[in-house]
Every structure is written in structure tokens, then in C-alpha cells.
């Protein structure tokens, strides 16, 4: 039961890594739940905390906090996009 | 009038520069049913939020970026009568005056070409996973998303 988690831009820098494999913790079934779980690591991880402007994608589609996360998924967290 | 030619879409995410004239010409190449081509070119400015910008690096999410752009084009195709769409977005390090993005839209009529071109840019600004990091005299800084970009994209939800 693992997921691949990706981080981009300022979030990647704040967390000091572009990606990690993570065993999906028991009870975590949504993007919001995974985000709270990661934020609870403390210190820099508070960049993912409540109130921070963070967007998410599951399997390369932008989703909201209620989106489900399952084993094998690719989950990405990133700041609001600034292309164009 | 001949039978309708297929809708042609092409999306590229690349480091290389592109040829604006060539891209525009290609949108109507080999067909006689195109009445209008609208295009947009985005460039790197040397000033942003009051600071000089000597360069910027565009990061993106390989894999998702292409999908997001194709999805945006598909939404445009469903809203307007379009014959072709070309989107090119660059990534990597760019300097002022460098081209960042190209959107070209071919349609039988100008109104639809203009509208679809603007729609694609507005949606790209809020939904395509790109992030700009600027080099300024004060150091490198990530560009913050603008609320005006969100409202520009949102206004299309109120229109038919």
C-alpha cells in the first residue's frame, strides 16, 4: 500500500525533495488526509499545513481535498500555477 | 464547399524556441475552409512586481502538463467551432524578450477564434502545471499566482 508523492516549485524547495515513496498510513484515504499526515511531520512540512495555498493532483489530474487516494496512485502537491 | 476537414490539435511542451510565422501558417496549411486565425504569444518581461528580472526558470510537471493542455483545448473545441489549435509552452531558463507560450486557433469566423484563443490562455494560466522562478537583483523568487488570473478564468463559467 504505497503512493508516490511529488512536490513542485517552492514546495519542492521547502521540503528539500522532489518526490518520495510513502506507505499509505492507515486511515488516510483522501488528498486532504494525506496532506494533513505530511504536515504533521512538523517544521518545514508545515508548508503543507492548513491555510497554506497548496494545490494537488492525483494521477496527473488536479483535484480537491476530498479526492480519494489509493495504493499505487501518484499524488502531487504544488503551489498555485504561474505559467503562461 | 468540400466535406468538413478534421479538427487538428497539437500541443508541445519544450525547451526550444518556436517560429511564430511558421506556426500560424501551419494552422491553415492544406485547407480552404479556415476563415480566421487568432494567435497569442507570451514573452518574458524585464520587470515584474517592481523588480528587474534578468532571467526566469520555468518548472513544470512532465506528463501532467501535456494532459492539462490537451484537456483545455478539448474544452475550447466543445464551446466553439474550431478547425485547429496549436499550443506551445516552453520550460527551462528564459531571458527577457524570449517567447514563453504560443496559442494559435483556426476557425471559420473571427469571433470564435478570438474567444477560444483567450479562453485557452486564461485556463492555461490557472490549470497548466507551470511555475516561474525569477532571477532579480534581490535573488531568486518564485512568482505568486495572481488573483486576477483566477477571475479571468472564472468569467468563462458565466458565459455560454
Amino acid at each position: 500500500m504505497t503512493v508516490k508523492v511529488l512536490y513542485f516549485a517552492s514546495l519542492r524547495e521547502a521540503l528539500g525533495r522532489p518526490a518520495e515513496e510513502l506507505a499509505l498510513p492507515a486511515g488516510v484515504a483522501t488528498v486532504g488526509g494525506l496532506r494533513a499526515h505530511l504536515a504533521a511531520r512538523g517544521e518545514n512540512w508545515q508548508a503543507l499545513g492548513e491555510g497554506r495555498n497548496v494545490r494537488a493532483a492525483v494521477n496527473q489530474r488536479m483535484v480537491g481535498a476530498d479526492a480519494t487516494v489509493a495504493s499505487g496512485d501518484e499524488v502531487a502537491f504544488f503551489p498555485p500555477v504561474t505559467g503562461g | 464547399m468540400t466535406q468538413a476537414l478534421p479538427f487538428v490539435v497539437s500541443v508541445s511542451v519544450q525547451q526550444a524556441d518556436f517560429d511564430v510565422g511558421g506556426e500560424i501558417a501551419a494552422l491553415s496549411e492544406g485547407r480552404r475552409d479556415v476563415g480566421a486565425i487568432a494567435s497569442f504569444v507570451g514573452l518574458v518581461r524585464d520587470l515584474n512586481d517592481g523588480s528587474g528580472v534578468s532571467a526566469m526558470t520555468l518548472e513544470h510537471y512532465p506528463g501532467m502538463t501535456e494532459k492539462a493542455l490537451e484537456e483545455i483545448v478539448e474544452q475550447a473545441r466543445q464551446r466553439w467551432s474550431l478547425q485547429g489549435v496549436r499550443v506551445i509552452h516552453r520550460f527551462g531558463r528564459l531571458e527577457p524578450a524570449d517567447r514563453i507560450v504560443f496559442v494559435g486557433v483556426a476557425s471559420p469566423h473571427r469571433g470564435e477564434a478570438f474567444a477560444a484563443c483567450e479562453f485557452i490562455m486564461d485556463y492555461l494560466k490557472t490549470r497548466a502545471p507551470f511555475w516561474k522562478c525569477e532571477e532579480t537583483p534581490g535573488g531568486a523568487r518564485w512568482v505568486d499566482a495572481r488573483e486576477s488570473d483566477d477571475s479571468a478564468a472564472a468569467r468563462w463559467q458565466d458565459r455560454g
Side-chain angles (χ1 to χ4, degrees):
Chain A
M1 283 289 280
T2 63
V3 289
K4 185 176 188 186
V5 188
L6 307 179
Y7 310 103
F8 289 96
S10 54
L11 212 48
R12 171 179 54 74
E13 286 186 347
L15 303 177
R17 68 190 71 186
E20 64 181 300
E21 293 279 341
L22 187 72
L24 204 56
V28 170
T30 64
V31 166
L34 179 59
R35 181 175 157 183
H37 171 78
L38 291 166
R41 287 172 171 174
E43 296 189 3
N44 297 348
W45 294 89
Q46 285 164 23
L48 284 167
E50 224 175 304
R52 299 299 188 93
N53 205 350
V54 172
R55 304 292 161 91
V58 172
N59 298 329
Q60 307 190 345
R61 288 189 75 108
M62 248 196 261
V63 294
D66 293 342
T68 56
V69 174
S71 185
D73 280 350
E74 177 176 300
V75 184
F77 292 105
F78 43 80
V81 303
T82 57
Chain B
M1 180 162 159
T2 51
Q3 75 183 77
L5 292 166
F7 172 72
V8 179
V9 56
S10 172
V11 167
S12 302
V13 180
Q14 63 189 45
Q15 276 192 285
D17 192 16
F18 46 84
D19 171 36
V20 175
E23 296 296 343
I24 291 173
L27 278 162
S28 61
E29 207 169 272
R31 56 197 299 171
R32 300 155 63 99
D33 56 343
V34 173
I37 296 174
S39 65
F40 173 85
V41 179
L43 308 171
V44 180
R45 260 197 332 258
D46 65 357
L47 187 75
N48 190 31
D49 285 337
S51 294
V53 174
S54 54
M56 69 164 59
T57 300
L58 272 141
E59 178 173 332
H60 78 115
Y61 181 172
M64 178 175 166
T65 317
E66 294 81 355
K67 282 183 202 165
L69 292 173
E70 280 161 14
E71 205 165 295
I72 292 164
V73 171
E74 177 55 26
Q75 285 186 44
R77 195 186 67 82
Q78 287 175 12
R79 290 177 78 121
W80 294 284
S81 163
L82 306 179
Q83 295 161 318
V85 175
R86 177 78 169 120
V87 179
I88 306 172
H89 203 302
R90 298 178 68 189
F91 63 92
R93 190 172 182 277
L94 300 172
E95 295 183 349
D98 282 348
R99 287 175 277 267
I100 304 175
V101 60
F102 175 87
V103 175
V105 176
S107 166
H109 307 291
R110 76 178 185 284
E112 301 198 86
F114 275 132
C117 188
E118 194 172 20
F119 170 92
I120 290 168
M121 269 312 299
D122 285 346
Y123 268 55
L124 183 157
K125 280 269 184 190
T126 56
R127 299 186 182 192
F130 288 97
W131 301 273
K132 288 174 181 158
C133 187
E134 295 174 335
E135 296 171 31
T136 73
R141 66 175 186 195
W142 289 97
V143 174
D144 282 329
R146 291 175 197 273
E147 218 154 280
S148 58
D149 288 336
D150 282 330
S151 46
R155 75 203 155 104
W156 294 100
Q157 283 156 24
D158 309 325
R159 295 195 207 168

